[in-house]
Amino acid sequence: MTNKTFLTFHGCIYLLFALALFFIPNIIWPMYGVEINDKYTYFLSQHTTIFLGGIAVINLQLREIESGTTAKKLFIALLTLNILGALITVYAGITGIFVGFGWSDPAFFITLSIFTYLQFKKQ
């Protein structure tokens, strides 16, 4: 896969989650077994979209990056992000915070980690 294709795909996934957690957290979070029970948890969901949206923008703005040192650093950063996501969401599943559709988050982050690693190796 080219860097442009990978970064477009990766960025769009993060953008989709950012928009969903900003506009419809009351629909999304309960699928994971998490309650949005007051204005503070609603806001924290929207606050999370700052980072998800930021990751999306970085991906989409750097789609034209060519192989080299900078590309390697970008893919190491994205790999670290996805591995942290996998670890944290596995923890949420093991401790019972995430139930129901919650299994999909670790699967998502592990899959993105694998694809990011493969893209890093191409550099």
Side-chain angles (χ1 to χ4, degrees), residues 42-103:
Y42 192 90
F43 170 74
L44 284 175
S45 180
Q46 292 180 317
H47 188 270
T48 300
T49 67
I50 295 167
F51 308 105
L52 295 173
I55 293 163
V57 169
I58 290 167
N59 278 266
L60 297 172
Q61 288 294 307
L62 295 176
R63 288 182 302 182
E64 304 295 334
I65 197 168
E66 295 180 16
S67 295
T69 303
T70 304
K72 284 183 179 182
K73 288 180 180 182
L74 172 63
F75 291 117
I76 287 292
L78 294 175
L79 180 60
T80 302
L81 162 79
N82 290 319
I83 289 171
L84 284 171
L87 293 172
I88 291 167
T89 56
V90 164
Y91 171 79
I94 290 171
T95 59
I97 295 169
F98 274 0
V99 296
F101 197 61
W103 62 267

